[in-house]
Amino acid sequence: MEIDKAINECDDRRLKTKYNNAIYVIKRALALYPVQEVALSFNGGKDSTVLLHLLRAGCFLHKAEENNSGGDAADGGKTFPIRTIYFESPSAFPEINSFTYEAASIYNIQMDIIRLDFKSGLEALLKANPIRAIFLGVRIGDPTAVGQEQFSPSSPGWPPFMRMNPILDWSYRYTSIGSIHDTVPNALLCTRNSDSNEEKFKPAYLLADGRLERAGRAKKNSSAVCGKSSSISNGLKMENLNSGSMLTASIITVGDEILFGTVEDKLGSMLCKKLHSIGWAVSRVTVTRNDIDSVAEEVERRKSTDDMVFLFGGIGPLHSDVTVAGVAKAFGVRMAPDEEFEEHLRHLIGEKCSGDKNEMALLPEGITELLHHEQLPVPLIKCHNVIVLTATNVVELDWQWDCLIELAKSNGILELMDPFVSKCFATTLSDVEVAQPLSKLCAQFPDLYIGGYRKSREGPLIITFEGKDLSRIEAASRSLCEKFHPGAFSEIK
């Protein structure tokens, strides 16, 4: 069998591992179910095409083992023995149909053509044939993959059969094709001719991030392909961001060393300033224990109340570094291997990054977006409205933040708004003298953040006014000063 021979002779260790794992699943399935009770769902797409060739190899090897022929099946694997189902749809691209029928002819595939929707077609097929298990080209990251294993019973309400997913943990960078009604050229593959300004698109396999394979799906409010569209970023709906309401963020620091007092958290306050500089209000800064449940509980609370959650600390190879696992638990998904992320880690730390046991390359299944920037050796991790930063000091945070802002300007992962402005005043008045006027001022100006603090008990009281409207800040500060004698407050530049 040419596929098995080519894989075994190649030098790609990870491909061999993935191939061997997939073949094991296929051979296990064929040992559990008679071939007459097994089917392949084939749609002519990249995933089912990969699965078709793996099944050809798996069937050949399984038959060879049964015959004790040392690898030589009777027909050399030329006949494909598994019943193949093709759901022909009028909304499919003609090229897909042509490719499918051509593949059936080349590989001697006997296809059942079904012209019903997937559920109705399965019901009719399973009623007429004793099919108990179906091979599917489902991969981690697919919308239907969440919660599935390599062997998973069909969902409630569907005809009963076993879903078999040999390529569940595979990944490859190809843009995805949907129907003729919802597919547009993937803007991430767009290039422009500098002279003619003509739009051209690179081949599908040149997509940099496999998670964005469905970026070429039309949205109801989409506009230009190469220009800035109004599509939905991962977890943050851009069309709702200009409604005039204040966007809020929370900051979660993970680390027992901070709670023990061993280390001072300087990143939280720095991140507050940076968020204020792009017009975001910080609702809460939290330090949590370095365990999965603590991280998950805090992320669960904040992700539903704030527009964005920033998380840092606890990132690394140790079992105690559980930040990303906590995020996965908060969203109710499992941790799964990510080949693309592992590639970045491998470039960073070389062969010390184990392909089979590298826990740093496990990411939340189906919800992770990698934020690539040429200045970042490893991309940042975004799970819906949670961004995981890997900075360990203020220099690294400053660097990562600059990269994040550049990405926000190009692809809208973070809304950039007018920054907060502030005025600070110092006074020698006592807390008691200032307390009541400040309380009334807070009620009078609810759109402003008004606070007071002292750097030392003997030092001056500092009154702060923060908000988006400088005229409102000036009005509030003027109102406060008018309640006291001239010179009671002096503005701090």
Side-chain angles (χ1 to χ4, degrees), residues 470-491:
L470 181 59
S471 63
R472 293 282 289 170
I473 291 177
E474 290 176 340
S477 59
R478 186 166 55 248
S479 177
L480 177 66
C481 293
E482 288 172 353
K483 298 180 186 300
F484 297 91
H485 61 82
F489 293 89
S490 58
E491 184 175 353

Side-chain angles (χ1 to χ4, degrees), residues 70-310:
D72 292 321
D75 64 352
K78 294 180 180 178
T79 301
F80 188 65
I82 296 178
R83 178 188 295 273
T84 302
I85 314 164
Y86 178 53
F87 291 85
E88 187 177 275
S89 170
S91 62
F93 283 91
E95 293 85 352
I96 296 293
N97 286 328
S98 299
F99 173 81
T100 300
Y101 291 120
E102 183 180 356
S105 174
I106 293 173
Y107 299 110
N108 297 316
I109 301 171
Q110 299 299 314
M111 288 199 307
D112 290 323
I113 311 299
I114 298 177
R115 293 181 174 87
L116 300 172
D117 64 272
F118 195 78
K119 187 175 182 181
S120 300
L122 276 180
E123 289 173 343
L125 181 71
L126 270 60
K127 187 175 181 180
N129 298 280
I131 294 175
R132 297 170 56 198
I134 300 177
F135 286 105
L136 301 170
V138 173
R139 291 183 298 116
I140 287 172
D142 291 345
T144 59
V146 176
Q148 286 204 49
E149 302 291 343
Q150 290 169 324
F151 290 84
S152 291
S154 55
S155 301
W158 282 71
F161 65 94
M162 181 62 72
R163 294 176 290 188
M164 299 181 296
N165 305 310
I167 62 170
L168 190 65
D169 62 344
W170 285 52
S171 67
Y172 29 84
R173 301 177 184 135
Y174 265 81
T175 195
S176 174
I177 298 177
S179 75
I180 59 175
H181 303 300
D182 68 359
T183 303
V184 296
N186 193 327
L188 298 167
L189 294 171
C190 181
T191 60
R192 287 185 182 274
N193 186 304
S194 57
D195 296 327
S196 63
N197 206 33
E198 178 186 2
E199 293 179 0
K200 292 186 178 181
F201 292 87
K202 295 178 286 188
Y205 62 84
L206 291 180
L207 185 68
D209 188 347
R211 274 175 206 78
L212 303 177
E213 61 176 315
R214 288 178 178 79
R217 299 295 174 89
K219 307 294 191 299
K220 290 182 179 179
N221 58 348
S222 62
S223 54
V225 173
C226 281
K228 190 174 182 180
S229 69
S230 55
S231 61
I232 298 176
S233 180
N234 186 2
L236 196 61
K237 296 181 179 179
M238 293 298 137
E239 61 267 29
N240 295 330
L241 293 181
N242 296 318
S243 59
S245 60
M246 183 74 69
L247 292 178
T248 64
S250 55
I251 299 169
I252 303 173
T253 304
V254 182
D256 291 341
E257 63 277 9
I258 297 173
L259 293 172
F260 291 157
T262 308
V263 176
E264 180 184 356
D265 176 26
K266 297 181 179 179
L267 302 188
S269 59
M270 181 178 182
L271 192 52
C272 286
K273 294 178 182 178
K274 291 185 176 299
L275 284 164
H276 280 195
S277 72
I278 61 168
W280 282 64
V282 178
S283 65
R284 184 177 299 243
V285 179
T286 307
V287 181
T288 188
R289 289 290 306 274
N290 196 29
D291 65 72
I292 293 176
D293 288 338
S294 297
V295 175
E297 288 171 8
E298 195 61 36
V299 171
E300 174 67 28
R301 282 193 290 265
R302 306 318 308 171
K303 71 183 178 66
S304 57
T305 58
D306 290 301
D307 297 289
M308 192 69 76
V309 179
F310 291 87

Side-chain angles (χ1 to χ4, degrees), residues 45-59:
K46 62 185 186 303
D47 298 325
S48 62
T49 300
V50 168
L51 180 56
L52 167 64
H53 291 298
L54 289 171
L55 283 172
R56 290 179 59 234
C59 289

